[in-house]
Amino acid sequence: MAADRVERSVGRTVRRIGIALLVLGGLAVWEALTGYYQLNAGEAAVILRLGRYERTEDREGPQLMLPFPIETRDVVHVGVSQRRDFGDVEATDAARLAETAMQTGDNNIVLVEFVVQYRVGNPFDRLYRVADSERLLAEASQAAMREVVGRYTIDGVIGERKGAVASEAAELLQELLDRYQAGIGVEAVELQEVQPPGPVREAFDDVLAASQDRNRAVNEAEGYANEVIPRARGEASERIAAAHGYRDAKIADATGEASRFLALAVEYQKAPAVTRRRLYLETMEVVLPEAQKVILEPGTALPYLPLPTGAAQGER
Amino acid sequence: MRRLALGIVFLVVLALGASGLGFGPIVLNPEGEQRIAFLLGDPVRVIQEPGLSLVPPFARIQVFDARWRQLSAEPREIPTLDQERIVIDYYVVWRIEDPLQFRRNFPTGLLEAEKQIDQQVRGQLREVVGQKQLMQVLKGERRAILEQIARESNAAVERFGVEVRDVRISRTELPRGTEENVYARMRAERNRLARKYRAEGEEQARVIRAEADRESQVIVAEARRDAEIERGKGDAEAARIYAEAYSTDAEFYAFVRGLEAYRKTLGKGTLLVLPPDHEFFRLFQSGGELPPVSAPGR
């Protein structure tokens, strides 16, 4: 009787241990199935425990958490930058064009193609505070860019204020996304292409051409100046050099003649009459041979004087 | 054995309830959601906090989104104070704040809610934009206007159990047809600018050329002046040298210079009519007698 009772109690204990082991085994399998997972690089897992936010795991590698339904997880990409394009300046269909055309501060229309580079900054917000993060990003990007473009003139947006437009748009976009608790971090906004609309593109190009024409006219004029002025300077130098030459020559000639005269004068002083006579006769010797001579008594009038043909013609 | 079986059944019922099949007694409300528990058609519990809650068993659970949602409206033409009609494309960020109120107002759900919210916002938009001029809406007071619209829309939809977080213009356009006017104006403005640049270029070129001409004239004129001065110096110095030298014996100079003049002017082609008693012929007269030498030259 006692043996039977012992047997039954032992059997009961064995059964209980067996059931316990079964239950534990089942739990272990359940945990392996739902509580074990792998996190890759750039991934984050948001863990809810019984529906409430518990923690965010972002280390790479194998992870363990409490099994379903105690803990649940959602995995999000946080490491990778993502890009979103807006607009197409070459678009022809109405919808795409509408996305691209924007109004500027000076009441003009400009076509803007831009890119938003972003990543998930707050996985919890991204998952549980906002219903469709991507769609919100798209519309908020448009809103932000248009508001900022509206602050500038068309020349500013196309030209030198492009950088300011981009950075202000990024700032405004981040402000909006934060207000919406979208959990998105804006890394950069870039303006890829900014063009005037098709129907006025020619007029815009003409302004560029006109600017170039202006530069060219000025360059040509400066080229002219660079030619004319040096030429004038050259002429100036020539004239002055010639004048110097004239002056030097004049002085040299004068000096030469003066010293020649002075030397002669010295000799003259030593024997004036003789020198005078000599000089006189020398001169006559030069002059008289060439000239036509007629020796005639003054007072005798001749009705006709045969003049030599050479003298008549005035040869010298 | 029977206790064990009872225990298992109890756990299963609990689990089933918590699994969200929608009938209590344990309700798991995760982040981003909110629930109402109904018993026999009457709401008995509104759960907005995340976590586990207890409700009467076999209560019916209805789930609502607690997250921010986005409503993209159809673009609408809205007139401004200065009679400009702009097409505004906007979006509204909103969420269910009070699920009970929400359900009362929108029993059919989100679509109806969005329609109503849009209507309210549109009304605010018309009212506010209608009091402003076009440029104020687009640029000057854009932010303030949007904030006002959002604020007033929020107040208007509060009775729906809804919260409006933001109203933003994602696009404004001029109505079809007025674009051509804008393009014409843009073209005219660009043409004006092009003309201006070209005119500026011509003017600057003219100025540069004129200045260059002027300067080169000045350079040459100054050179001419300096050259003349220089020549003058040469002439003056030469004259001084001559005068200095010749004045040491002016008479002799006159003599020598006179002879030189004869040398230069008389000669070939000159006809000299000389009297026989000319001084040159005196040796003819004297017949060999030595003439007086000491007499001063004639």
Side-chain angles (χ1 to χ4, degrees), chain A residues 87-230:
Chain A
D88 181 4
V89 290
E90 304 294 331
T92 43
D93 68 284
R96 202 94 167 99
L97 209 54
E99 193 185 77
T100 319
M102 303 190 188
Q103 300 204 290
T104 61
D106 54 356
N107 239 339
N108 289 321
I109 296 175
V110 69
L111 301 182
V112 178
E113 223 175 271
F114 68 100
V115 171
V116 174
Q117 199 170 306
Y118 66 96
R119 59 144 57 125
V120 175
N122 185 333
F124 174 77
D125 279 358
R126 168 83 167 66
L127 291 168
Y128 304 119
R129 283 281 172 265
V130 120
D132 190 341
S133 229
E134 304 280 319
R135 201 172 130 240
L136 201 50
L137 171 75
E139 291 236 32
S141 300
Q142 292 268 7
M145 182 56 76
R146 277 155 203 280
E147 185 173 323
V148 172
V149 165
R151 296 178 192 159
Y152 291 89
T153 63
I154 188 164
D155 288 309
V157 177
I158 289 180
E160 54 193 25
R161 309 290 279 154
K162 215 159 146 172
V165 170
S167 62
E168 273 178 48
E171 223 176 280
L172 178 56
L173 179 58
Q174 186 67 76
E175 193 190 310
L176 292 177
L177 291 174
D178 289 346
R179 193 194 288 206
Y180 310 152
Q181 294 179 293
I184 290 181
V186 174
E187 291 186 326
V189 170
E190 281 166 34
L191 297 182
Q192 306 242 283
E193 280 275 352
V194 184
Q195 297 264 359
V200 301
R201 212 164 281 180
E202 207 179 304
F204 271 77
D205 288 343
D206 192 42
V207 170
L208 289 175
S211 173
Q212 284 169 4
D213 286 347
R214 175 178 61 179
N215 290 348
R216 197 184 29 248
V218 168
N219 286 343
E220 276 173 18
E222 283 178 352
Y224 171 82
N226 286 340
E227 213 183 283
V228 154
I229 290 180

Side-chain angles (χ1 to χ4, degrees), chain A residues 7 16 26 34 43 56 62 80 89-90 98 102 127 130 150 152 216 243 260 266 295:
Chain A
E7 238 184 74
R16 283 196 185 130
T34 64
E43 284 182 338
T56 308
V80 182
V89 290
E90 304 294 331
M102 303 190 188
L127 291 168
V130 120
Y152 291 89
R216 197 184 29 248
R260 188 161 145 239
V266 164
I295 302 171

Side-chain angles (χ1 to χ4, degrees), chain A residues 53 107 129 131 139 146 150 172 179-181 213-214 224 246-247 269 277 292 294 296 316, chain B residues 31 51 68 70 72 91 139 143 165-166 170 185 198 200 213 230 235 249 265 270 272 274 282:
Chain A
Y53 174 71
N107 239 339
R129 283 281 172 265
E139 291 236 32
R146 277 155 203 280
L172 178 56
R179 193 194 288 206
Y180 310 152
Q181 294 179 293
D213 286 347
R214 175 178 61 179
Y224 171 82
Y246 172 89
R247 173 182 158 196
Q269 287 304 328
R277 196 78 192 152
Q292 301 285 324
V294 176
L296 210 56
R316 288 200 67 82
Chain B
E31 299 272 5
W68 292 111
Q70 179 187 356
S72 289
Y91 68 85
K139 188 168 78 158
R143 183 164 285 219
R165 182 67 152 180
D166 202 16
S170 56
R185 186 176 47 76
R198 292 200 168 100
E200 279 176 4
D213 286 337
E230 207 56 24
D235 289 340
D249 193 343
T265 58
T270 313
L272 292 169
L274 304 163
R282 68 190 169 130

Side-chain angles (χ1 to χ4, degrees), chain B residues 167-239:
Chain B
V167 175
R168 282 283 144 177
I169 296 176
S170 56
R171 197 173 306 150
T172 53
E173 274 163 38
L174 298 168
R176 300 258 154 270
T178 59
E179 270 168 2
E180 235 345 279
N181 292 352
V182 176
Y183 291 150
R185 186 176 47 76
M186 285 173 79
R187 248 180 256 127
E189 208 227 318
R190 289 292 121 177
N191 289 341
R192 185 189 61 82
L193 208 59
R195 263 201 301 276
K196 175 172 168 240
Y197 285 165
R198 292 200 168 100
E200 279 176 4
E202 269 175 46
E203 190 201 325
Q204 281 179 33
R206 230 199 317 264
V207 164
I208 291 173
R209 279 180 209 268
E211 184 57 30
D213 286 337
R214 186 199 68 83
E215 200 177 323
S216 64
Q217 274 177 21
V218 164
I219 288 171
V220 169
E222 284 182 351
R224 223 180 301 140
R225 174 200 66 192
D226 292 343
E228 287 303 297
I229 290 172
E230 207 56 24
R231 280 176 203 264
K233 282 188 194 160
D235 289 340
E237 183 63 15

Side-chain angles (χ1 to χ4, degrees), chain A residues 51-67:
Chain A
R52 194 175 308 165
Y53 174 71
E54 176 65 25
R55 65 184 182 279
T56 308
E57 298 284 3
D58 55 10
R59 277 173 302 110
E60 204 182 324
Q63 308 285 340
L64 212 58
M65 70 187 206
L66 294 178

Side-chain angles (χ1 to χ4, degrees), chain B residues 51-114:
Chain B
L52 285 178
S53 309
L54 276 174
V55 295
F58 299 107
R60 198 172 59 79
I61 315 290
Q62 192 173 4
V63 185
F64 298 89
D65 200 351
R67 299 172 300 176
W68 292 111
R69 300 189 62 83
Q70 179 187 356
L71 193 172
S72 289
E74 281 296 311
R76 307 223 174 257
E77 196 174 292
I78 300 188
T80 65
L81 183 66
D82 48 356
Q83 306 303 319
E84 301 274 358
R85 302 178 76 84
I86 43 169
V87 177
I88 295 185
D89 199 350
Y90 58 94
Y91 68 85
V92 182
V93 176
W94 64 280
R95 68 182 206 99
I96 301 171
E97 196 178 23
D98 181 344
L100 208 51
Q101 283 281 66
F102 182 82
R103 186 175 174 277
R104 281 206 199 104
N105 283 286
F106 310 118
T108 52
L110 284 172
L111 245 75
E112 196 190 332
E114 289 195 337

